[in-house]
Amino acid sequence: MGPPGAGKGTQARFIADHFGIPAISTGDIFRANVSEGTPLGVEAKRYMDAGEYVPDEITNRMVRNRIDEPDAAHGFLLDGYPRTVAQVEELDGMINFTGHQLDAVLCLVVDKDEVVKRLLQRAQTEGRADDTEDVIRRRQEVYLEQTSPLIEVYKERGLLVEVDGLGDVDEVTKRIFDALDVVPES
Ligand code: B4P
């Protein structure tokens, strides 16, 4: 977890590689559908471009199908999901059904202005439609309203691991591995 631009996607790859599990990014799956022009992509694009969340029903169905894939049978890392209380409930149901359990909920803590800077920089290299300053501010508001309450939910369950997301990418990765008590392979 973490606000837009916290580095979820960036760090997810390292963690997933370490554990040999897939990193399942709802944002990446939506973007792949947008670029392929699928019906899901067309629907998701309307929300993403405005900085809004894609409706729970669509997102939940997509995650349910993805974690049913064989490569997720022995575990997976979810990047950017759940983002709403309704998604938390849905995920509980999904993993109950598959016999998985959540080991940890990692939250990257970052400064609001720093992430705006990062995303504006990304806009220049990747040209994502949702990386304009207005949309970034809207995404921050949506995060605050709909996702930040989830931090308390997972804290109460004893699963929350908060890590400082500021600094070099390598430094943040090291902090995450330390917090998860993981010894990276050299
Ligand atoms: P995401 O793809 O999850 O987008 P994000 O929050 O902007 O990305 P992230 O935090 O992963 O940032 P990144 O590592 O890329 O979601 C996009 C949209 O999809 C949402 O707004 C929503 O519409 C929709 N969506 C996704 N999931 C949903 C859900 N569950 N429910 C409903 N809707 C959903 O890093 C950002 C930039 O910073 C990169 O350029 C990176 O290189 C840089 N960076 C990373 N770490 C850095 C560091 N330590 N120092 C400097 N730069 C760094």
Side-chain angles (χ1 to χ4, degrees):
M1 291 179 66
K8 299 182 291 291
T10 305
Q11 298 297 336
R13 276 169 230 126
F14 300 122
I15 302 168
D17 271 1
H18 177 85
F19 288 103
I21 52 173
I24 300 175
S25 156
T26 39
D28 282 352
I29 303 176
F30 285 135
R31 277 187 291 280
N33 277 275
V34 170
S35 60
E36 286 161 21
T38 67
L40 170 67
V42 173
E43 179 74 4
K45 187 174 181 345
R46 292 201 290 138
Y47 299 96
M48 294 170 81
D49 285 357
E52 305 294 334
Y53 284 165
V54 178
D56 287 333
E57 207 188 292
I58 300 175
T59 311
N60 288 334
R61 198 178 332 124
M62 191 177 80
V63 173
R64 184 184 293 277
N65 290 338
R66 179 61 187 90
I67 66 174
D68 255 356
E69 299 277 327
D71 66 337
H74 301 295
F76 46 82
L77 180 148
L78 293 168
D79 161 15
Y81 182 93
R83 264 170 148 109
T84 65
V85 172
Q87 291 179 13
V88 169
E89 287 165 11
E90 194 68 21
L91 177 63
D92 287 342
M94 283 182 220
I95 58 177
N96 208 1
F97 183 77
T98 57
H100 287 105
Q101 62 172 42
L102 290 181
D103 296 315
V105 175
L106 186 69
C107 183
L108 292 173
V109 182
V110 287
D111 173 78
K112 221 171 155 185
D113 294 324
E114 163 68 20
V115 290
V116 175
K117 238 173 41 198
R118 281 184 192 177
L119 294 176
L120 289 175
Q121 212 163 348
R122 179 170 71 185
Q124 292 177 351
T125 52
E126 293 180 23
R128 258 174 60 172
D130 59 348
D131 280 345
T132 61
E133 184 145 8
D134 284 354
V135 178
I136 294 167
R137 296 280 177 204
R138 178 63 196 145
R139 284 159 64 201
Q140 286 184 325
E141 281 169 16
V142 173
Y143 176 83
L144 212 65
E145 283 161 19
Q146 300 196 44
T147 307
S148 64
L150 273 49
I151 294 175
E152 206 45 49
V153 171
Y154 286 120
K155 193 183 269 178
E156 275 172 19
R157 294 190 193 181
L159 290 171
L160 189 74
V161 178
E162 286 186 292
V163 170
D164 178 4
L166 291 181
D168 290 344
V169 171
D170 291 357
E171 256 173 69
V172 178
T173 310
K174 185 174 178 318
R175 276 182 219 138
I176 291 173
F177 282 0
D178 284 349
L180 294 177
D181 222 359
V182 160
V183 181
E185 286 146 31
S186 50

